[in-house]
Amino acid sequence: MNDPSAAAARTDEELIADLGRGDAEALGLLYDRYRRLAMAVAYRILADATAAEDCLQDAFVQVWRNHASFHPERGSVKSWLLTIVRNAAIDRHRGREGRARQDRPIDEVEYLLGENDDPYAQAVESLEAEEIQTAIKRLPDEQREAITLAFFNG
């Protein structure tokens, strides 16, 4: 598909169906749509940019291989994809912390993550924080110092 507007107009569900036909471009389009959000989710769990990038690669390979596991009646492509990213990041995090970490019961892992953790909300929060930090850096020194003191020192 050479027309960028036509490619961009394809729905997420159409892209998943196209994966089933071996369309690698569909995977690229999904990646382009969700890479920032997915990176924010992975980075939030791993706190390491390189590990998060590796996690994204693993997650999108899983999307390619397991596209048939998407069921629209269970939720959106975005939530399905971000769940894959989240699970890949958790698996990678467990691997980095050694065998003892891997043996934790799932209830304990869920407690550590928090029952209200929402990958989408976390990603939005992370992106907003980046935007705020960028905006604060653009301020004159006196204004930046006043905001920093007010925020951190009340």
Side-chain angles (χ1 to χ4, degrees), residues 10-82:
R10 291 160 64 187
T11 68
D12 291 347
E13 290 77 12
E14 290 171 333
L15 293 175
I16 294 296
D18 292 343
L19 291 178
R21 293 186 278 282
D23 183 354
E25 179 187 22
L27 185 65
L29 290 170
L30 281 172
Y31 179 81
D32 290 343
R33 282 182 193 173
Y34 295 112
R35 73 172 173 246
R36 289 191 65 185
L37 204 51
M39 181 65 170
V41 169
Y43 185 80
R44 175 86 175 209
I45 293 167
L46 298 169
D48 179 291
T50 302
E53 288 171 2
D54 291 344
C55 176
L56 247 56
Q57 181 177 355
D58 294 345
F60 276 90
V61 167
Q62 287 181 36
V63 167
W64 175 258
R65 290 180 180 160
N66 300 320
H67 60 275
S69 70
F70 171 71
H71 300 287
E73 65 276 3
R74 293 185 187 164
S76 69
V77 170
K78 177 169 46 175
S79 62
W80 173 77
L81 191 142
L82 292 177

